[in-house]
Amino acid sequence: DGGITQSPKYLFRKEGQNVTLSCEQNLNHDAMYWYRQDPGQGLRLIYYSQIVNDFQKGDIAEGYSVSREKKESFPLTVTSAQKNPTAFYLCASTSGRALDTQYFGPGTRLTVL
Amino acid sequence: GQQLNQSPQSMFIQEGEDVSMNCTSSSIFNTWLWYKQDPGEGPVLLIALYKAGELTSNGRLTAQFGITRKDSFLNISASIPSDVGIYFCAGHGNTGKLIFGQGTTLQVKP
């Protein structure tokens, strides 16, 4: 089946530790995105990548880092510099053609203790 | 930057009732998308609209791309308990980026 997978579903970390969230897609999509969702709020864009080895900051990139070494993978690292990292993180992808729809993964809920 | 205003913020309805929610913007959008998010899951695309005036149905769901290109609505007919969730509108604005509304939380009482 084609789709987007995110792992793990739930993640717990101690304050001050970096943590990496996985996102993989087998849709042959060029563009991938990371969003953060807080309770009762919409989606805020963290980082996006339109092609391998290239990525751009979104609206709330501070305290996060990404890499795009492979077309299928777009991992997100939540660093200790992120002041309030507890949230629901969503990965999405799209073909990259103009006005194409985004498809989302199931999300990872990160809780920092 | 461009923003979407989605309303209502939340709705609590009786099973069997029809539901309507909408998104508006002060500037033109080139697409309108409607997603549903179940608790603890990622959003799932319900309907995509690409032309002004376009009216599209998906089962009990109907959505329209406003003729001014500044608004869209989503209707759900004869609601059932599994309709519960958060509904997001989204659209491609003049920057080409996908912009999301704040979401409408729908609760259905059996």
Side-chain angles (χ1 to χ4, degrees), chain A residues 11-51:
Chain A
L11 191 54
F12 296 87
R13 279 295 181 269
K14 291 183 179 179
E15 195 172 336
Q17 289 182 333
N18 291 355
V19 61
T20 297
L21 281 59
S22 167
C23 178
E24 304 276 334
Q25 54 96 2
N26 60 4
L27 300 167
N28 200 33
H29 282 171
D30 285 317
M32 298 184 75
Y33 305 79
W34 275 106
Y35 293 90
R36 171 183 172 134
Q37 185 177 30
D38 293 286
Q41 296 193 28
L43 306 178
R44 292 187 288 169
L45 182 63
I46 304 172
Y47 267 99
Y48 64 101
S49 167
Q50 293 179 308
I51 197 168

mmCIF file of all heavy atoms in Angstrom, chain A residues 11-51:
data_model
loop_
_atom_site.group_PDB
_atom_site.id
_atom_site.type_symbol
_atom_site.label_atom_id
_atom_site.label_comp_id
_atom_site.label_asym_id
_atom_site.label_seq_id
_atom_site.Cartn_x
_atom_site.Cartn_y
_atom_site.Cartn_z
ATOM 1 N N LEU A 11 5.868 9.242 21.879
ATOM 2 C CA LEU A 11 7.280 9.388 22.236
ATOM 3 C C LEU A 11 7.380 10.223 23.500
ATOM 4 O O LEU A 11 6.769 11.295 23.594
ATOM 5 C CB LEU A 11 8.017 10.061 21.083
ATOM 6 C CG LEU A 11 9.533 10.101 21.092
ATOM 7 C CD1 LEU A 11 10.112 8.710 21.245
ATOM 8 C CD2 LEU A 11 10.037 10.752 19.814
ATOM 9 N N PHE A 12 8.148 9.709 24.443
ATOM 10 C CA PHE A 12 8.363 10.428 25.696
ATOM 11 C C PHE A 12 9.845 10.696 25.836
ATOM 12 O O PHE A 12 10.668 9.809 25.614
ATOM 13 C CB PHE A 12 7.875 9.601 26.890
ATOM 14 C CG PHE A 12 6.396 9.354 26.875
ATOM 15 C CD1 PHE A 12 5.869 8.264 26.200
ATOM 16 C CD2 PHE A 12 5.538 10.218 27.521
ATOM 17 C CE1 PHE A 12 4.501 8.037 26.179
ATOM 18 C CE2 PHE A 12 4.163 10.000 27.511
ATOM 19 C CZ PHE A 12 3.650 8.906 26.830
ATOM 20 N N ARG A 13 10.190 11.924 26.199
ATOM 21 C CA ARG A 13 11.595 12.277 26.379
ATOM 22 C C ARG A 13 11.746 13.194 27.588
ATOM 23 O O ARG A 13 10.809 13.901 27.962
ATOM 24 C CB ARG A 13 12.127 13.003 25.145
ATOM 25 C CG ARG A 13 12.522 12.091 24.011
ATOM 26 C CD ARG A 13 13.688 11.204 24.362
ATOM 27 N NE ARG A 13 14.101 10.348 23.279
ATOM 28 C CZ ARG A 13 13.643 9.119 23.078
ATOM 29 N NH1 ARG A 13 12.740 8.613 23.890
ATOM 30 N NH2 ARG A 13 14.070 8.406 22.074
ATOM 31 N N LYS A 14 12.921 13.157 28.144
ATOM 32 C CA LYS A 14 13.217 14.062 29.245
ATOM 33 C C LYS A 14 13.594 15.422 28.679
ATOM 34 O O LYS A 14 14.147 15.536 27.587
ATOM 35 C CB LYS A 14 14.360 13.510 30.090
ATOM 36 C CG LYS A 14 13.997 12.266 30.870
ATOM 37 C CD LYS A 14 15.157 11.838 31.740
ATOM 38 C CE LYS A 14 14.799 10.601 32.545
ATOM 39 N NZ LYS A 14 15.936 10.148 33.386
ATOM 40 N N GLU A 15 13.310 16.435 29.469
ATOM 41 C CA GLU A 15 13.665 17.793 29.080
ATOM 42 C C GLU A 15 15.173 17.890 28.848
ATOM 43 O O GLU A 15 15.961 17.297 29.592
ATOM 44 C CB GLU A 15 13.255 18.756 30.196
ATOM 45 C CG GLU A 15 13.246 20.216 29.784
ATOM 46 C CD GLU A 15 12.647 21.109 30.858
ATOM 47 O OE1 GLU A 15 11.862 20.607 31.672
ATOM 48 O OE2 GLU A 15 12.969 22.295 30.868
ATOM 49 N N GLY A 16 15.544 18.594 27.772
ATOM 50 C CA GLY A 16 16.955 18.781 27.472
ATOM 51 C C GLY A 16 17.530 17.778 26.493
ATOM 52 O O GLY A 16 18.667 17.924 26.056
ATOM 53 N N GLN A 17 16.764 16.757 26.150
ATOM 54 C CA GLN A 17 17.234 15.750 25.202
ATOM 55 C C GLN A 17 16.733 16.082 23.800
ATOM 56 O O GLN A 17 15.601 16.541 23.635
ATOM 57 C CB GLN A 17 16.707 14.359 25.591
ATOM 58 C CG GLN A 17 17.334 13.770 26.824
ATOM 59 C CD GLN A 17 16.802 12.375 27.121
ATOM 60 O OE1 GLN A 17 15.680 12.051 26.756
ATOM 61 N NE2 GLN A 17 17.608 11.562 27.784
ATOM 62 N N ASN A 18 17.591 15.833 22.822
ATOM 63 C CA ASN A 18 17.139 15.914 21.439
ATOM 64 C C ASN A 18 16.372 14.636 21.112
ATOM 65 O O ASN A 18 16.659 13.566 21.650
ATOM 66 C CB ASN A 18 18.324 16.040 20.490
ATOM 67 C CG ASN A 18 19.033 17.379 20.613
ATOM 68 O OD1 ASN A 18 18.590 18.260 21.347
ATOM 69 N ND2 ASN A 18 20.125 17.536 19.904
ATOM 70 N N VAL A 19 15.416 14.749 20.184
ATOM 71 C CA VAL A 19 14.669 13.570 19.766
ATOM 72 C C VAL A 19 14.358 13.696 18.280
ATOM 73 O O VAL A 19 14.090 14.784 17.786
ATOM 74 C CB VAL A 19 13.371 13.421 20.599
ATOM 75 C CG1 VAL A 19 12.459 14.619 20.422
ATOM 76 C CG2 VAL A 19 12.650 12.140 20.258
ATOM 77 N N THR A 20 14.433 12.557 17.570
ATOM 78 C CA THR A 20 14.182 12.571 16.127
ATOM 79 C C THR A 20 12.925 11.787 15.801
ATOM 80 O O THR A 20 12.755 10.644 16.228
ATOM 81 C CB THR A 20 15.379 11.971 15.366
ATOM 82 O OG1 THR A 20 16.529 12.790 15.610
ATOM 83 C CG2 THR A 20 15.099 11.953 13.863
ATOM 84 N N LEU A 21 12.040 12.435 15.030
ATOM 85 C CA LEU A 21 10.799 11.810 14.591
ATOM 86 C C LEU A 21 10.969 11.372 13.139
ATOM 87 O O LEU A 21 11.476 12.128 12.304
ATOM 88 C CB LEU A 21 9.644 12.815 14.690
ATOM 89 C CG LEU A 21 9.030 13.070 16.066
ATOM 90 C CD1 LEU A 21 10.054 13.596 17.066
ATOM 91 C CD2 LEU A 21 7.886 14.065 15.936
ATOM 92 N N SER A 22 10.488 10.179 12.863
ATOM 93 C CA SER A 22 10.656 9.607 11.530
ATOM 94 C C SER A 22 9.435 9.868 10.657
ATOM 95 O O SER A 22 8.299 9.839 11.131
ATOM 96 C CB SER A 22 10.885 8.102 11.665
ATOM 97 O OG SER A 22 10.751 7.459 10.409
ATOM 98 N N CYS A 23 9.679 10.110 9.377
ATOM 99 C CA CYS A 23 8.620 10.217 8.380
ATOM 100 C C CYS A 23 9.112 9.580 7.092
ATOM 101 O O CYS A 23 10.161 9.984 6.560
ATOM 102 C CB CYS A 23 8.223 11.668 8.129
ATOM 103 S SG CYS A 23 6.942 11.837 6.853
ATOM 104 N N GLU A 24 8.368 8.596 6.606
ATOM 105 C CA GLU A 24 8.717 7.900 5.378
ATOM 106 C C GLU A 24 7.493 7.859 4.462
ATOM 107 O O GLU A 24 6.380 7.663 4.932
ATOM 108 C CB GLU A 24 9.141 6.462 5.682
ATOM 109 C CG GLU A 24 10.285 6.330 6.671
ATOM 110 C CD GLU A 24 11.641 6.458 6.034
ATOM 111 O OE1 GLU A 24 11.749 6.168 4.827
ATOM 112 O OE2 GLU A 24 12.584 6.866 6.734
ATOM 113 N N GLN A 25 7.733 8.047 3.146
ATOM 114 C CA GLN A 25 6.620 7.930 2.194
ATOM 115 C C GLN A 25 7.062 7.109 0.982
ATOM 116 O O GLN A 25 8.213 7.189 0.558
ATOM 117 C CB GLN A 25 6.116 9.321 1.757
ATOM 118 C CG GLN A 25 7.172 10.261 1.208
ATOM 119 C CD GLN A 25 7.289 10.286 -0.290
ATOM 120 O OE1 GLN A 25 6.535 9.610 -1.004
ATOM 121 N NE2 GLN A 25 8.251 11.063 -0.791
ATOM 122 N N ASN A 26 6.130 6.297 0.479
ATOM 123 C CA ASN A 26 6.403 5.497 -0.719
ATOM 124 C C ASN A 26 5.461 5.894 -1.854
ATOM 125 O O ASN A 26 5.081 5.063 -2.684
ATOM 126 C CB ASN A 26 6.296 4.008 -0.408
ATOM 127 C CG ASN A 26 4.920 3.611 0.089
ATOM 128 O OD1 ASN A 26 4.013 4.432 0.132
ATOM 129 N ND2 ASN A 26 4.763 2.353 0.463
ATOM 130 N N LEU A 27 5.099 7.182 -1.860
ATOM 131 C CA LEU A 27 4.201 7.715 -2.881
ATOM 132 C C LEU A 27 4.973 8.334 -4.048
ATOM 133 O O LEU A 27 4.360 8.863 -4.973
ATOM 134 C CB LEU A 27 3.294 8.783 -2.238
ATOM 135 C CG LEU A 27 2.409 8.291 -1.093
ATOM 136 C CD1 LEU A 27 1.796 9.462 -0.336
ATOM 137 C CD2 LEU A 27 1.337 7.358 -1.626
ATOM 138 N N ASN A 28 6.296 8.276 -3.972
ATOM 139 C CA ASN A 28 7.149 8.908 -4.985
ATOM 140 C C ASN A 28 6.914 10.421 -5.043
ATOM 141 O O ASN A 28 7.046 11.041 -6.109
ATOM 142 C CB ASN A 28 6.945 8.290 -6.369
ATOM 143 C CG ASN A 28 8.118 8.581 -7.299
ATOM 144 O OD1 ASN A 28 9.268 8.676 -6.860
ATOM 145 N ND2 ASN A 28 7.840 8.720 -8.578
ATOM 146 N N HIS A 29 6.571 10.997 -3.908
ATOM 147 C CA HIS A 29 6.340 12.440 -3.843
ATOM 148 C C HIS A 29 7.653 13.191 -3.690
ATOM 149 O O HIS A 29 8.559 12.757 -2.979
ATOM 150 C CB HIS A 29 5.419 12.782 -2.672
ATOM 151 C CG HIS A 29 3.980 12.501 -2.942
ATOM 152 N ND1 HIS A 29 3.018 12.565 -1.957
ATOM 153 C CD2 HIS A 29 3.341 12.184 -4.084
ATOM 154 C CE1 HIS A 29 1.836 12.291 -2.498
ATOM 155 N NE2 HIS A 29 2.011 12.057 -3.781
ATOM 156 N N ASP A 30 7.730 14.347 -4.357
ATOM 157 C CA ASP A 30 8.940 15.154 -4.260
ATOM 158 C C ASP A 30 8.974 16.014 -2.996
ATOM 159 O O ASP A 30 10.028 16.238 -2.417
ATOM 160 C CB ASP A 30 9.054 16.077 -5.479
ATOM 161 C CG ASP A 30 9.477 15.313 -6.731
ATOM 162 O OD1 ASP A 30 10.387 14.464 -6.619
ATOM 163 O OD2 ASP A 30 8.909 15.573 -7.804
ATOM 164 N N ALA A 31 7.820 16.537 -2.600
ATOM 165 C CA ALA A 31 7.782 17.504 -1.508
ATOM 166 C C ALA A 31 7.276 16.866 -0.218
ATOM 167 O O ALA A 31 6.347 16.064 -0.229
ATOM 168 C CB ALA A 31 6.873 18.681 -1.886
ATOM 169 N N MET A 32 7.910 17.248 0.893
ATOM 170 C CA MET A 32 7.507 16.755 2.209
ATOM 171 C C MET A 32 7.481 17.902 3.190
ATOM 172 O O MET A 32 8.208 18.898 3.020
ATOM 173 C CB MET A 32 8.451 15.645 2.666
ATOM 174 C CG MET A 32 8.426 14.426 1.749
ATOM 175 S SD MET A 32 9.439 13.052 2.315
ATOM 176 C CE MET A 32 8.429 12.405 3.667
ATOM 177 N N TYR A 33 6.643 17.758 4.224
ATOM 178 C CA TYR A 33 6.372 18.858 5.156
ATOM 179 C C TYR A 33 6.284 18.331 6.586
ATOM 180 O O TYR A 33 5.865 17.195 6.814
ATOM 181 C CB TYR A 33 5.017 19.513 4.818
ATOM 182 C CG TYR A 33 4.890 19.982 3.394
ATOM 183 C CD1 TYR A 33 4.611 19.089 2.372
ATOM 184 C CD2 TYR A 33 5.033 21.330 3.080
ATOM 185 C CE1 TYR A 33 4.484 19.517 1.064
ATOM 186 C CE2 TYR A 33 4.907 21.766 1.771
ATOM 187 C CZ TYR A 33 4.632 20.858 0.766
ATOM 188 O OH TYR A 33 4.511 21.287 -0.523
ATOM 189 N N TRP A 34 6.628 19.177 7.533
ATOM 190 C CA TRP A 34 6.398 18.903 8.942
ATOM 191 C C TRP A 34 5.545 20.021 9.536
ATOM 192 O O TRP A 34 5.831 21.212 9.353
ATOM 193 C CB TRP A 34 7.711 18.817 9.716
ATOM 194 C CG TRP A 34 8.346 17.475 9.684
ATOM 195 C CD1 TRP A 34 9.442 17.092 8.976
ATOM 196 C CD2 TRP A 34 7.933 16.318 10.416
ATOM 197 N NE1 TRP A 34 9.715 15.773 9.206
ATOM 198 C CE2 TRP A 34 8.820 15.275 10.104
ATOM 199 C CE3 TRP A 34 6.898 16.064 11.325
ATOM 200 C CZ2 TRP A 34 8.706 13.999 10.638
ATOM 201 C CZ3 TRP A 34 6.785 14.801 11.859
ATOM 202 C CH2 TRP A 34 7.686 13.778 11.521
ATOM 203 N N TYR A 35 4.497 19.577 10.268
ATOM 204 C CA TYR A 35 3.617 20.507 10.962
ATOM 205 C C TYR A 35 3.578 20.183 12.443
ATOM 206 O O TYR A 35 3.747 19.030 12.852
ATOM 207 C CB TYR A 35 2.177 20.404 10.435
ATOM 208 C CG TYR A 35 1.977 20.857 9.012
ATOM 209 C CD1 TYR A 35 2.106 19.972 7.949
ATOM 210 C CD2 TYR A 35 1.632 22.178 8.732
ATOM 211 C CE1 TYR A 35 1.907 20.382 6.646
ATOM 212 C CE2 TYR A 35 1.431 22.604 7.426
ATOM 213 C CZ TYR A 35 1.562 21.703 6.393
ATOM 214 O OH TYR A 35 1.362 22.119 5.099
ATOM 215 N N ARG A 36 3.273 21.194 13.201
ATOM 216 C CA ARG A 36 3.045 21.015 14.626
ATOM 217 C C ARG A 36 1.585 21.371 14.909
ATOM 218 O O ARG A 36 1.066 22.364 14.365
ATOM 219 C CB ARG A 36 3.973 21.935 15.407
ATOM 220 C CG ARG A 36 3.671 21.988 16.899
ATOM 221 C CD ARG A 36 4.562 22.971 17.621
ATOM 222 N NE ARG A 36 4.091 23.110 19.003
ATOM 223 C CZ ARG A 36 4.879 23.097 20.055
ATOM 224 N NH1 ARG A 36 6.189 22.977 19.913
ATOM 225 N NH2 ARG A 36 4.377 23.219 21.265
ATOM 226 N N GLN A 37 0.942 20.567 15.759
ATOM 227 C CA GLN A 37 -0.440 20.839 16.126
ATOM 228 C C GLN A 37 -0.556 20.828 17.646
ATOM 229 O O GLN A 37 -0.181 19.853 18.302
ATOM 230 C CB GLN A 37 -1.389 19.796 15.522
ATOM 231 C CG GLN A 37 -2.858 20.102 15.768
ATOM 232 C CD GLN A 37 -3.767 19.103 15.109
ATOM 233 O OE1 GLN A 37 -3.416 17.936 14.941
ATOM 234 N NE2 GLN A 37 -4.962 19.547 14.702
ATOM 235 N N ASP A 38 -1.061 21.907 18.203
ATOM 236 C CA ASP A 38 -1.316 22.001 19.631
ATOM 237 C C ASP A 38 -2.821 21.910 19.866
ATOM 238 O O ASP A 38 -3.615 22.225 18.969
ATOM 239 C CB ASP A 38 -0.744 23.306 20.181
ATOM 240 C CG ASP A 38 0.771 23.320 20.120
ATOM 241 O OD1 ASP A 38 1.367 22.614 20.947
ATOM 242 O OD2 ASP A 38 1.356 24.002 19.258
ATOM 243 N N PRO A 39 -3.236 21.506 21.064
ATOM 244 C CA PRO A 39 -4.672 21.302 21.330
ATOM 245 C C PRO A 39 -5.502 22.515 20.953
ATOM 246 O O PRO A 39 -5.189 23.638 21.340
ATOM 247 C CB PRO A 39 -4.704 21.033 22.835
ATOM 248 C CG PRO A 39 -3.368 20.459 23.146
ATOM 249 C CD PRO A 39 -2.406 21.173 22.231
ATOM 250 N N GLY A 40 -6.558 22.276 20.204
ATOM 251 C CA GLY A 40 -7.475 23.350 19.846
ATOM 252 C C GLY A 40 -6.937 24.313 18.815
ATOM 253 O O GLY A 40 -7.550 25.349 18.551
ATOM 254 N N GLN A 41 -5.805 23.977 18.230
ATOM 255 C CA GLN A 41 -5.227 24.888 17.239
ATOM 256 C C GLN A 41 -5.079 24.212 15.884
ATOM 257 O O GLN A 41 -5.142 22.990 15.761
ATOM 258 C CB GLN A 41 -3.862 25.376 17.711
ATOM 259 C CG GLN A 41 -3.922 26.207 18.973
ATOM 260 C CD GLN A 41 -2.608 26.928 19.225
ATOM 261 O OE1 GLN A 41 -1.875 27.242 18.295
ATOM 262 N NE2 GLN A 41 -2.318 27.210 20.475
ATOM 263 N N GLY A 42 -4.849 25.019 14.879
ATOM 264 C CA GLY A 42 -4.626 24.504 13.543
ATOM 265 C C GLY A 42 -3.212 24.000 13.380
ATOM 266 O O GLY A 42 -2.476 23.793 14.342
ATOM 267 N N LEU A 43 -2.815 23.808 12.149
ATOM 268 C CA LEU A 43 -1.498 23.266 11.818
ATOM 269 C C LEU A 43 -0.518 24.399 11.550
ATOM 270 O O LEU A 43 -0.830 25.319 10.790
ATOM 271 C CB LEU A 43 -1.607 22.373 10.581
ATOM 272 C CG LEU A 43 -2.654 21.263 10.661
ATOM 273 C CD1 LEU A 43 -2.691 20.490 9.362
ATOM 274 C CD2 LEU A 43 -2.360 20.353 11.823
ATOM 275 N N ARG A 44 0.640 24.301 12.152
ATOM 276 C CA ARG A 44 1.683 25.304 11.911
ATOM 277 C C ARG A 44 2.880 24.629 11.244
ATOM 278 O O ARG A 44 3.367 23.605 11.711
ATOM 279 C CB ARG A 44 2.089 25.967 13.236
ATOM 280 C CG ARG A 44 0.982 26.833 13.829
ATOM 281 C CD ARG A 44 1.480 27.604 15.034
ATOM 282 N NE ARG A 44 1.696 26.754 16.188
ATOM 283 C CZ ARG A 44 2.318 27.147 17.296
ATOM 284 N NH1 ARG A 44 2.786 28.393 17.389
ATOM 285 N NH2 ARG A 44 2.472 26.319 18.319
ATOM 286 N N LEU A 45 3.350 25.238 10.179
ATOM 287 C CA LEU A 45 4.408 24.655 9.360
ATOM 288 C C LEU A 45 5.772 24.867 10.010
ATOM 289 O O LEU A 45 6.159 25.998 10.314
ATOM 290 C CB LEU A 45 4.378 25.278 7.965
ATOM 291 C CG LEU A 45 5.373 24.759 6.941
ATOM 292 C CD1 LEU A 45 5.121 23.279 6.639
ATOM 293 C CD2 LEU A 45 5.311 25.585 5.670
ATOM 294 N N ILE A 46 6.521 23.760 10.183
ATOM 295 C CA ILE A 46 7.841 23.829 10.804
ATOM 296 C C ILE A 46 8.928 23.926 9.731
ATOM 297 O O ILE A 46 9.712 24.868 9.707
ATOM 298 C CB ILE A 46 8.096 22.590 11.684
ATOM 299 C CG1 ILE A 46 7.001 22.426 12.735
ATOM 300 C CG2 ILE A 46 9.464 22.680 12.349
ATOM 301 C CD1 ILE A 46 7.083 21.113 13.506
ATOM 302 N N TYR A 47 8.996 22.942 8.863
ATOM 303 C CA TYR A 47 9.956 22.890 7.774
ATOM 304 C C TYR A 47 9.304 22.209 6.579
ATOM 305 O O TYR A 47 8.356 21.444 6.738
ATOM 306 C CB TYR A 47 11.200 22.063 8.161
ATOM 307 C CG TYR A 47 12.356 22.827 8.742
ATOM 308 C CD1 TYR A 47 12.556 22.884 10.116
ATOM 309 C CD2 TYR A 47 13.288 23.469 7.913
ATOM 310 C CE1 TYR A 47 13.630 23.578 10.659
ATOM 311 C CE2 TYR A 47 14.360 24.156 8.455
ATOM 312 C CZ TYR A 47 14.526 24.212 9.818
ATOM 313 O OH TYR A 47 15.597 24.891 10.348
ATOM 314 N N TYR A 48 9.821 22.479 5.392
ATOM 315 C CA TYR A 48 9.392 21.741 4.227
ATOM 316 C C TYR A 48 10.555 21.552 3.269
ATOM 317 O O TYR A 48 11.534 22.305 3.305
ATOM 318 C CB TYR A 48 8.200 22.412 3.536
ATOM 319 C CG TYR A 48 8.457 23.778 2.951
ATOM 320 C CD1 TYR A 48 8.670 23.950 1.587
ATOM 321 C CD2 TYR A 48 8.461 24.912 3.759
ATOM 322 C CE1 TYR A 48 8.883 25.210 1.050
ATOM 323 C CE2 TYR A 48 8.672 26.161 3.239
ATOM 324 C CZ TYR A 48 8.873 26.320 1.888
ATOM 325 O OH TYR A 48 9.085 27.567 1.354
ATOM 326 N N SER A 49 10.395 20.538 2.424
ATOM 327 C CA SER A 49 11.438 20.212 1.453
ATOM 328 C C SER A 49 10.762 19.907 0.128
ATOM 329 O O SER A 49 9.863 19.082 0.060
ATOM 330 C CB SER A 49 12.238 18.996 1.933
ATOM 331 O OG SER A 49 13.040 18.484 0.889
ATOM 332 N N GLN A 50 11.203 20.571 -0.911
ATOM 333 C CA GLN A 50 10.594 20.360 -2.230
ATOM 334 C C GLN A 50 11.418 19.417 -3.095
ATOM 335 O O GLN A 50 10.950 18.962 -4.138
ATOM 336 C CB GLN A 50 10.402 21.703 -2.928
ATOM 337 C CG GLN A 50 9.367 22.580 -2.212
ATOM 338 C CD GLN A 50 9.175 23.925 -2.864
ATOM 339 O OE1 GLN A 50 10.144 24.640 -3.097
ATOM 340 N NE2 GLN A 50 7.943 24.280 -3.162
ATOM 341 N N ILE A 51 12.643 19.124 -2.643
ATOM 342 C CA ILE A 51 13.503 18.242 -3.421
ATOM 343 C C ILE A 51 14.587 17.708 -2.499
ATOM 344 O O ILE A 51 14.903 18.335 -1.467
ATOM 345 C CB ILE A 51 14.100 19.002 -4.622
ATOM 346 C CG1 ILE A 51 14.654 18.025 -5.655
ATOM 347 C CG2 ILE A 51 15.135 19.999 -4.173
ATOM 348 C CD1 ILE A 51 14.983 18.688 -6.978
#
